[in-house]
């Protein structure tokens, strides 16, 4: 997946390292607004494009937090990648 035009990772070195790190199991944690949610969404799309049919897990403490942050941000990235739609992209 080409993240150019979808997500600017140049301003957050830790987020960039997280998205492109080669480990099978990886965690990204820390304070508010440090790039965890968007980085996790970008990494999940990158892994899904690299290995179709893979299985991932995105967690939050409550469904409301998941819906309001992680799911919302992931759908924003998917729409950007797919030209504004949630249908399969290029």
């Amino acid at each position: 997946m080409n993240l150019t035009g979808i997500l600017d990772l140049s301003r957050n070195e830790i987020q960039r390292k997280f998205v492109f790190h080669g480990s099978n199991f990886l965690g990204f944690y820390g304070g508010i607004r440090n790039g965890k949610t968007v980085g996790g969404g970008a990494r999940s799309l990158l892994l899904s494009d690299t290995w179709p049919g893979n299985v991932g897990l995105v967690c939050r403490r409550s469904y409301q937090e998941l819906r309001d942050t992680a799911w919302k941000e992931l759908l924003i990235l998917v729409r950007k990648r797919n030209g504004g739609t949630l249908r399969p992209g290029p």
Side-chain angles (χ1 to χ4, degrees):
M1 176 176 100
N2 183 357
L3 293 173
T4 306
I6 296 172
L7 180 61
D8 179 10
L9 296 171
S10 65
R11 296 177 298 193
N12 189 331
E13 180 68 15
I14 296 170
Q15 183 185 51
R16 186 186 64 73
K17 286 180 179 179
F18 171 75
V19 170
F20 294 108
H21 201 279
S23 293
N24 289 337
F25 302 99
L26 191 62
F28 186 4
Y29 54 91
I32 297 170
R33 308 238 4 116
N34 70 351
K36 300 179 300 289
T37 300
V38 174
R43 184 169 173 83
S44 68
L45 290 178
L46 183 64
L47 292 173
S48 292
D49 285 347
T50 303
W51 292 286
N54 77 71
V55 177
L57 176 66
V58 178
C59 301
R60 289 298 311 255
R61 186 177 303 263
S62 72
Y63 174 74
Q64 182 178 352
E65 290 174 345
L66 177 70
R67 183 195 63 219
D68 294 347
T69 60
W71 186 246
K72 178 181 157 188
E73 292 298 330
L74 179 61
L75 293 181
I76 288 170
L77 291 173
V78 168
R79 283 184 182 104
K80 284 182 180 179
R81 181 189 68 175
N82 295 353
T85 182
L86 293 177
R87 294 182 181 176

